[in-house]
Amino acid sequence: MTTKFIFITGGVVSSLGKGVAAASVGLILESRGLNVTLMKLDPYVNVDPGTMSPYQHGEVYVTDDGTETDLDLGHYERFTHTTTSKLHNLTTGKIYESVINKERRGDYLGNTVQVIPHITDEIKERMRLLAKGHDVVIVEIGGTVGDIESLPFLEAIRQFRHELGRFNAVDIHLTLVPYIAAAEELKTKPTQHSVRDMRAIGISPDILLCRVDRPLPDELRAKIALFCNVDADQVVAARDVDTIYEVPVQLCREGLDEKLLDLLHLPRSVANDTMDRWMDLVNRVKNPKRHVRIGIVGKYVSLADAYKSLNEALIHGGIANEAKVELVYISAEDIEGGNWPPSLLEVDGIVVPIGFGKRGSEGKIRAIHYARERKVPCFGICWGMQLMVVEFARHVCGISQAASTEFIEDTPDPVIYKLRDLLGVDALGGTMRLGSYPCRLKEGSKARQIYGQPEIAERHRHRYEVNQKYLPVLEEHGLKVVGTSPDGKFIEMVELSDHPWFLGSQFHPEYKSRPTDPHPLFVSFIEAALAEQDRRQSQPERAEERASIPIPEVVA
Ligand code: GLN
């Protein structure tokens, strides 16, 4: 069978949820027995998002093969069976890097190297690479039509659609149909303009996926169809929903699966049980039995997208425990003043997540101190684990100046220091320890019991590591190393046994959690947070105990 391509383009404004829409289209096609994969084309000039601030870009999603990619790839993996890799995320930077390398090698002989055909050929070549072994490739194009920087990508798609021929390619254009309160009306004009822009560059969208906050009346569908050169049944409403996991269910209700099969001349194959399982999941998300509050002590807390996979993994842990997870963002810097922030005293569990640099490090260390001393479930992820080690060294082992060389370069006690393998490497792009590596878990440890297996593989993204010189003193005081790389070179997990749940991982388990297959560490952590909630409710003195703890000194 010829591989079919579905392009997802965006119109009107950004942040309409193209990534979730693409992932949802992937899922509903999998529910028809098709083998689907997805890729994202990002128009920015960075080679990858690895060097970008989380404030600008949101989370950097890491694949098994160690590529730093766009967070939409996380949606693709959470919604569908696809496992992404370096082939699944392209940027303008990556395309130009490759074309310029070819030019330097002399591959273009005497030719003038130009956007058309050389850049567009390169983009088409990369899309073709994914066709093998897949019935459908879904290609999401970042940005909004009208952006100058996305033009080469859209031009490549125009050419590619032509080469693929009829019935082999579909463009789904995601737009906004806003409700104007003063007129008490939904307005179609922005969609008309957006489609006009698309047609001006030679792509006539086949499906218009319209974000609306209320039902889209038939007359409006007819009006959009008339102005935008599609049939009314190709205008699909994407109404606001309570959880992103409801989007595929809603698109199925709108019949988008069958519309796509028809447009692509694919048989209307019988649906498998994928959507039933997904509907069951949505029901569980919408009807929780309990409510649990998890504090995320971070430094990028004003942008929830900065912790996208973590947020989702926590929600998945909640689903497994029939609990709604309320995410309470606590700025690490707010813990550097004289008082504990009230929110920290009230959460049922604390996560200290990914982070880089110095800002916020002392606040995170204090949050860990609080959780350790007051026996509140605490999960340290990557930087969080490293700071668990620093906190333990300072306040339990008495190494008062202990630090990471990442934030105190000349510390006398570098319990965390730069990866030995990276000494002398100063370039920042793509140089961290990245991607999936095996980890061996210690018999009898909590980590081993939670995973239920002796060896695991998880994804990494770090430049610093635990300095093994300090292991004897850390272990002597009770911090257990429970996960290492099989050769013992890297410390991967630590835990405390005289604590209900205090566990740190050098890797990022959140990248591999799926709503239908929640990650065991998050399931166990949420279970422990629910137990802490029970404790607070059944023991009146617990709240008092949690509030009364002196704030430790900050090490400058
Ligand atoms: N900044 C730390 C390091 O580079 C932690 C990175 C992270 O949290 N992913 O090792």
Side-chain angles (χ1 to χ4, degrees):
M1 175 178 128
T2 324
T3 302
K4 312 281 185 175
F5 280 79
I6 296 176
F7 303 102
I8 314 258
T9 54
V12 186
V13 286
S14 58
S15 301
L16 289 181
K18 263 197 314 267
V20 170
S24 301
V25 168
L27 177 77
I28 63 177
L29 293 178
E30 280 191 349
S31 82
R32 293 302 187 127
L34 294 165
N35 187 334
V36 179
T37 195
L38 299 102
M39 76 186 293
K40 172 102 193 260
L41 310 182
D42 276 311
Y44 52 74
V45 184
N46 304 58
V47 171
D48 63 44
T51 52
M52 281 154 96
S53 156
Y55 280 129
Q56 294 203 14
H57 185 270
E59 168 187 272
V60 171
Y61 186 75
V62 179
T63 57
D64 271 342
D65 73 349
T67 313
E68 296 174 284
T69 72
D70 187 76
L71 60 78
D72 281 330
L73 275 75
H75 292 308
Y76 306 165
E77 290 206 1
R78 286 187 284 272
F79 280 65
T80 73
H81 286 94
T82 205
T83 298
T84 57
S85 71
K86 64 175 187 294
L87 299 179
H88 298 250
N89 193 190
L90 275 189
T91 65
T92 295
K94 218 176 249 181
I95 294 290
Y96 272 81
E97 185 185 47
S98 164
V99 169
I100 290 169
N101 284 340
K102 286 181 184 170
E103 186 274 333
R104 291 288 84 183
R105 273 203 316 262
D107 291 7
Y108 300 114
L109 295 172
N111 280 321
T112 309
V113 181
Q114 295 181 296
V115 172
I116 306 171
H118 302 97
I119 295 294
T120 48
D121 279 354
E122 187 75 26
I123 297 169
K124 285 186 288 181
E125 193 49 46
R126 303 294 185 104
M127 291 194 281
R128 266 189 216 103
L129 274 182
L130 274 193
K132 196 163 171 273
H134 297 110
D135 303 323
V136 180
V137 179
I138 298 168
V139 185
E140 178 193 345
I141 296 93
T144 310
V145 61
D147 297 344
I148 290 175
E149 58 181 11
S150 61
L151 280 174
F153 287 109
L154 293 172
E155 167 60 14
I157 284 163
R158 184 195 67 76
Q159 297 171 17
F160 198 37
R161 274 165 62 103
H162 185 72
E163 287 163 30
L164 288 164
R166 288 183 74 197
F167 313 125
N168 290 328
V170 161
D171 178 64
I172 299 180
H173 191 57
L174 182 63
T175 76
L176 176 70
V177 178
Y179 181 78
I180 304 298
E184 293 181 15
E185 263 183 336
L186 285 166
K187 291 293 183 187
T188 65
K189 192 73 83 190
T191 298
Q192 296 176 35
H193 280 256
S194 181
V195 171
R196 198 177 60 190
D197 283 349
M198 287 294 290
R199 293 174 65 198
I201 48 185
I203 302 173
S204 194
D206 304 285
I207 297 271
L208 298 175
L209 194 54
C210 304
R211 284 293 305 268
V212 269
D213 65 354
R214 62 202 65 220
L216 186 64
D218 284 347
E219 331 66 274
L220 280 199
R221 290 185 199 240
K223 185 175 177 188
I224 294 172
L226 177 69
F227 280 95
C228 299
N229 215 30
V230 292
D231 294 336
D233 73 348
Q234 285 163 243
V235 180
V236 177
R239 273 190 70 181
D240 295 351
V241 279
D242 299 334
T243 150
I244 54 169
Y245 298 122
E246 200 172 349
V247 175
V249 175
Q250 184 207 45
L251 295 182
C252 251
R253 252 186 245 128
E254 284 271 319
L256 183 61
D257 47 348
E258 298 200 334
K259 293 180 209 293
L260 288 170
L261 295 177
D262 292 352
L263 284 167
L264 292 167
H265 275 208
L266 287 168
R268 282 197 181 190
S269 47
V270 183
N272 54 37
D273 67 353
T274 304
M275 288 316 298
D276 291 340
R277 283 192 295 118
W278 209 264
M279 260 186 265
D280 177 54
L281 167 81
V282 171
N283 277 336
R284 276 185 290 138
V285 176
K286 288 173 117 179
N287 301 298
K289 297 216 170 81
R290 296 187 62 177
H291 183 115
V292 66
R293 269 189 294 178
I294 302 298
I296 298 179
V297 181
K299 55 186 284 185
Y300 317 113
V301 288
S302 60
L303 183 78
D305 264 4
Y307 303 109
K308 192 79 209 162
S309 294
L310 172 65
N311 300 347
E312 295 305 318
L314 287 165
I315 290 167
H316 304 163
I319 296 171
N321 284 286
E322 296 185 279
K324 179 179 169 55
V325 178
E326 182 191 342
L327 304 170
V328 182
Y329 297 104
I330 304 169
S331 164
E333 284 163 290
D334 288 351
I335 316 182
E336 289 171 7
N339 295 308
W340 295 110
S343 51
L344 189 73
L345 308 181
E346 275 156 25
V347 291
D348 303 311
I350 294 171
V351 180
V352 183
I354 185 169
F356 295 87
K358 181 175 172 68
R359 185 176 64 81
S361 55
E362 291 296 328
K364 288 189 176 212
I365 290 170
R366 284 182 169 187
I368 291 165
H369 179 77
Y370 172 79
R372 186 182 53 72
E373 286 281 328
R374 283 298 170 258
K375 302 215 183 312
V376 180
C378 185
F379 195 173
I381 298 177
C382 201
W383 207 32
M385 182 200 97
Q386 296 173 359
L387 298 176
M388 278 177 159
V389 173
V390 173
E391 193 281 329
F392 195 84
R394 282 188 196 171
H395 303 125
V396 182
C397 307
I399 310 172
S400 62
Q401 298 297 305
S404 164
T405 54
E406 181 174 13
F407 50 88
I408 304 182
E409 221 179 322
D410 55 355
T411 171
D413 282 300
V415 291
I416 306 294
Y417 63 179
K418 197 164 174 183
L419 283 164
R420 301 296 82 195
D421 293 351
L422 288 184
L423 291 177
V425 177
D426 293 325
L428 293 185
T431 53
M432 282 187 256
R433 180 169 178 246
L434 291 164
S436 182
Y437 288 100
C439 164
R440 205 162 276 165
L441 301 174
K442 198 164 183 181
E443 192 66 49
S445 65
K446 191 186 211 84
R448 167 86 169 74
Q449 179 207 337
I450 293 171
Y451 272 100
Q453 59 195 70
E455 191 164 314
I456 54 162
E458 295 279 9
R459 300 180 191 171
H460 296 68
R461 181 172 184 243
H462 63 119
R463 189 170 279 121
Y464 293 82
E465 65 177 319
V466 177
N467 181 347
Q468 300 216 27
K469 186 183 118 189
Y470 291 89
L471 279 193
V473 58
L474 291 166
E475 295 215 279
E476 191 186 305
H477 286 84
L479 188 73
K480 291 189 186 156
V481 171
V482 293
T484 58
S485 56
D487 60 5
K489 192 169 160 193
F490 299 103
I491 305 302
E492 299 281 20
M493 288 191 92
V494 298
E495 67 181 43
L496 284 180
S497 40
D498 63 342
H499 191 287
W501 211 101
F502 188 94
L503 222 140
S505 69
Q506 182 59 75
F507 49 78
H508 292 274
E510 66 271 27
Y511 292 139
K512 280 177 45 172
S513 185
R514 294 180 180 198
T516 46
D517 186 14
H519 194 290
L521 285 174
F522 287 94
V523 176
S524 171
F525 174 65
I526 296 293
E527 197 186 326
L530 286 165
E532 164 62 11
Q533 192 184 76
D534 290 342
R535 255 193 309 278
R536 267 154 58 92
Q537 279 163 5
S538 63
Q539 301 171 9
E541 67 285 4
R542 178 74 179 139
E544 176 79 7
E545 179 194 6
R546 278 193 48 175
S548 62
I549 164 168
I551 292 193
E553 282 302 302
V554 163
V555 175

